[in-house]
Amino acid sequence: MKTVAFVNIKGGVAKTASVTSVAHILATQYNKRVLMIDLDPQANTTARFSNINVYERLERKLHGDIRSIDNSISDLLLNRNMDVHNCIRKTVYQNLDIIPSDLQLGDVQDRIKADVTVPPQFRLKGHIKKIESEYDYCIIDCAPSVSIANVNGLAVCDEAYIPTTTDGDSLEGVAYALDLIRTVKDYNDKLEISGCFFTRWENQGVPKMAYELLEEMVPGVLLPFKMYKSKLIGEGSYLNLPLLIADKKKTVSKLTTNYLHLTEFIMADNKEEYLKQYDEERNVYLTLEQIIGIEQIESEVEQELQEDIKKNGICEPITVVKQGKEYLLVDGKKRCKVQEKLISDGIWDKYRPIPAKIAER
Ligand SMILES: Nc1ncnc2c1ncn2[C@@H]1O[C@H](COP(=O)(O)OP(=O)(O)OP(=O)(O)O)[C@@H](O)[C@H]1O
Ligand SMILES: [Mg+2]
């Protein structure tokens, strides 16, 4: 299991948007077994995958009903004898589970400090060890603070990602996060800072100073995936929908495209190589409806390829040439045929994105 945390000490920089998008893409586009852990008492990730709609949640809160939930991350942090499985909830999505949070997480800090039997930063570690073989990825949503819960998350983490907007306050949050990660690295030496990326991006200029400072703090840390500003995230928060579901259209949005790239980057064995080959203009995602030239194909697809794609998704991009608003298929006919079949069998959605490389004419 690879454990990944999204962290920035500044609030509102799209940690939750990133966690919910990436975890859901890993589970549904790439069929990975994914566990999300919500370490924020605001419990926004928990809410996104809850079966209680936003209006009901609002109404309860407006009436002062802020009841805590049973078997949440708080219980896990407080009780080392608890069976972690009791805290894991299934979501409606295949392969995607969550350990939920609630407001009481804000109060556990003192109780953790009072119990000296387990070091305060290792309250999660024992639990996570027990489920390591049950998941491919554990994706952690951190709170915008230097909390004991965040420290526990980072203490079990392999990779930390830092989302940030371009304003000065958020970049200060990055600096705090980097400092926290370095401190936790003293007792979790596998922890790596895998990248920082801009969110709510509107092609705004980033002051040169900010780039230089970031580069100075962690050389090469800035990833090229820009998370464009889009109303899809806000809509998803009303409808309890992760990005990929909120964005079911003929054309894959730029935001979804870049979250798909970030997810592939997280999965990549060789991250340097992934970045070398990445080109924002040419590496795209298309739906089957945008691709022309498939209908003339009469090729038998081997059972083995079908099974592989059904199991792992299409990982190798197809090649296309742009023709007006459409894309002519150049290479990848068998992959497209499998996608077509899985859609007609009702296994995949018709707007499922296909990775594609746009070739020069
Ligand atoms: N790409 C985007 N386009 C438009 N709005 C976005 C985007 N990403 C996030 N948002 C919005 O920005 C706000 C903050 O996002 P989010 O809750 O994911 O941040 P966060 O870092 O988890 O915040 P907190 O620190 O409070 O937990 C939300 O209102 C969310 O809907
Ligand atoms: Mg959040």
Side-chain angles (χ1 to χ4, degrees), residues 8-18 40 42 44 48 141-144 163 199-201 227-234 237 255 259:
N8 187 330
I9 307 307
K10 179 78 176 79
V13 295
K15 295 181 287 297
T16 299
S18 303
D40 186 354
Q42 296 179 95
N44 299 136
R48 191 69 75 263
D141 191 6
C142 291
T199 59
R200 288 159 56 189
W201 180 259
M227 301 313 172
Y228 288 85
K229 191 166 182 175
S230 157
K231 60 181 180 357
L232 290 167
I233 299 283
S237 71
L255 176 63
Y259 270 122

Side-chain angles (χ1 to χ4, degrees), residues 72-292:
S72 69
I73 184 69
S74 309
D75 300 293
L76 212 52
L77 289 170
L78 289 169
N79 185 352
R80 80 185 156 104
N81 295 318
M82 183 158 194
D83 182 351
V84 55
H85 296 95
N86 291 341
C87 294
I88 297 176
R89 313 275 168 94
K90 297 227 158 298
T91 69
V92 295
Y93 305 101
Q94 193 192 323
N95 299 328
L96 185 58
D97 295 348
I98 183 165
I99 297 180
S101 166
D102 66 9
L103 207 55
Q104 65 162 332
L105 180 59
D107 304 327
V108 303
Q109 190 131 330
D110 290 341
R111 289 168 68 195
I112 288 176
K113 273 195 218 145
D115 172 6
V116 293
T117 55
V118 183
Q121 69 274 38
F122 295 134
R123 315 288 301 208
L124 198 54
K125 199 170 179 173
H127 295 299
I128 295 296
K129 258 197 181 145
K130 292 186 187 123
I131 49 169
E132 249 166 9
S133 63
E134 295 170 33
Y135 293 96
D136 300 307
Y137 289 90
C138 173
I139 310 289
I140 298 180
D141 191 6
C142 291
S145 61
V146 184
S147 67
I148 198 82
N150 278 358
V151 168
N152 270 275
L154 291 172
V156 296
C157 217
D158 300 297
E159 295 184 12
Y161 287 84
I162 311 179
T164 183
T165 59
T166 53
D167 63 79
D169 293 344
S170 300
L171 290 168
E172 252 183 83
V174 177
Y176 276 130
L178 288 171
D179 192 45
L180 177 64
I181 293 164
R182 286 200 194 107
T183 311
V184 174
K185 224 173 146 37
D186 284 347
Y187 46 84
N188 174 14
D189 52 20
K190 65 180 181 166
L191 177 59
E192 296 290 342
I193 300 159
S194 291
C196 175
F197 55 94
F198 287 121
T199 59
R200 288 159 56 189
W201 180 259
E202 293 180 282
N203 286 321
Q204 68 273 51
V206 180
K208 192 161 168 271
M209 259 276 275
Y211 272 118
E212 284 170 2
L213 272 173
L214 261 181
E215 200 51 39
E216 194 183 302
M217 283 196 274
V218 193
V221 77
L222 200 54
L223 298 176
F225 322 116
K226 307 266 193 318
M227 301 313 172
Y228 288 85
K229 191 166 182 175
S230 157
K231 60 181 180 357
L232 290 167
I233 299 283
E235 284 171 1
S237 71
Y238 272 93
L239 300 169
N240 287 5
L241 296 179
L243 177 63
L244 206 53
I245 303 282
D247 190 15
K248 288 220 168 293
K249 292 187 199 78
K250 184 176 166 184
T251 308
V252 185
S253 71
K254 275 171 138 184
L255 176 63
T256 303
T257 296
N258 283 347
Y259 270 122
L260 283 159
H261 281 306
L262 175 64
T263 308
E264 285 188 344
F265 178 78
I266 291 171
M267 289 194 300
D269 292 329
N270 187 339
K271 294 193 188 316
E272 252 177 61
E273 193 56 33
Y274 187 89
L275 289 182
K276 250 194 233 161
Q277 293 186 8
Y278 173 76
D279 174 344
E280 189 178 7
E281 298 299 315
R282 297 196 176 283
N283 294 101
V284 296
Y285 288 85
L286 303 172
T287 65
L288 213 50
E289 287 186 10
Q290 291 176 280
I291 303 170
I292 51 174

